[in-house]
Structure formats: C-alpha cells, structure tokens
Amino acid sequence: MAEKKSKDHGPSVKDDDVYEALRDEGASKEKAARIANASAAEGRSTVGERGGEAGDYQDRTVDELRKRAAELDIEGRSSMSKDELIDALRNH
C-alpha cells in the first residue's frame, strides 16, 4: 500500500503530517498548527509526553473556564454558560 503524501500547508505549518492527522480528528486549524509546530521543533515524542496534563474542563469553575477562554481570546466568553465555555474551549 502506498504511503499517503501529505499536502504542503505552507511555511506556517512545520509538520504537515501531524497537522493533517489533527485536522482529520477534528482539531481547529489553530490548534493543529500549534501542535504540529511544537512537534517539529521539539520532536513528536516530547510533545506527546506533555499531552494530557490539563484537568477535565468539567472539574473547573466557570471563572477558571473564563480565564482560560480569555487566554485564548475567545469572543463572547463573559456571557457563556459553563457548557458553552467548555464547548468553545474544546473547539478552539
């Protein structure tokens, strides 16, 4: 079976294979690019070991979720419910 050749996503994406895999899994363009670039700079295994350290969003307070949403510059966060904040954070 022939290996799938990944598309070139331009100079802003440093690891096209990782980017495409993340996009196929439903990650946003920004998140996929951030992870792909980190894996290119630091190595895939290093980035993979770092993953999963964040706690579950359900365990956080609304104030904590709003603070994280502010860090990511998510619009409309001040009027979002907890479920809306979680959805916005997961899909950023």
Side-chain angles (χ1 to χ4, degrees):
M1 179 179 225
E3 187 177 316
K4 180 182 168 188
K5 174 76 171 119
S6 67
K7 196 167 109 176
D8 182 4
H9 297 283
S12 63
V13 174
K14 306 300 181 209
D15 190 329
D16 291 311
D17 293 333
V18 170
Y19 178 86
E20 280 192 24
L22 290 165
R23 289 291 290 147
D24 288 345
E25 292 174 7
S28 69
K29 290 179 181 181
E30 294 85 5
K31 182 175 182 178
R34 186 170 55 247
I35 294 170
N37 292 342
S39 73
E42 302 170 35
R44 290 180 184 179
S45 62
T46 302
V47 173
E49 289 171 5
R50 194 168 60 221
E53 292 176 11
D56 189 353
Y57 283 137
Q58 289 293 339
D59 296 335
R60 297 185 190 185
T61 66
V62 172
D63 286 338
E64 291 170 328
L65 294 170
R66 284 198 176 118
K67 181 179 178 187
R68 180 64 182 138
E71 291 169 359
L72 298 173
D73 201 28
I74 294 175
E75 303 258 339
R77 62 189 174 270
S78 63
S79 62
M80 289 182 185
S81 68
K82 183 172 184 172
D83 288 337
E84 290 170 327
L85 284 163
I86 291 170
D87 185 55
L89 289 165
R90 286 186 176 150
N91 294 305
H92 173 72

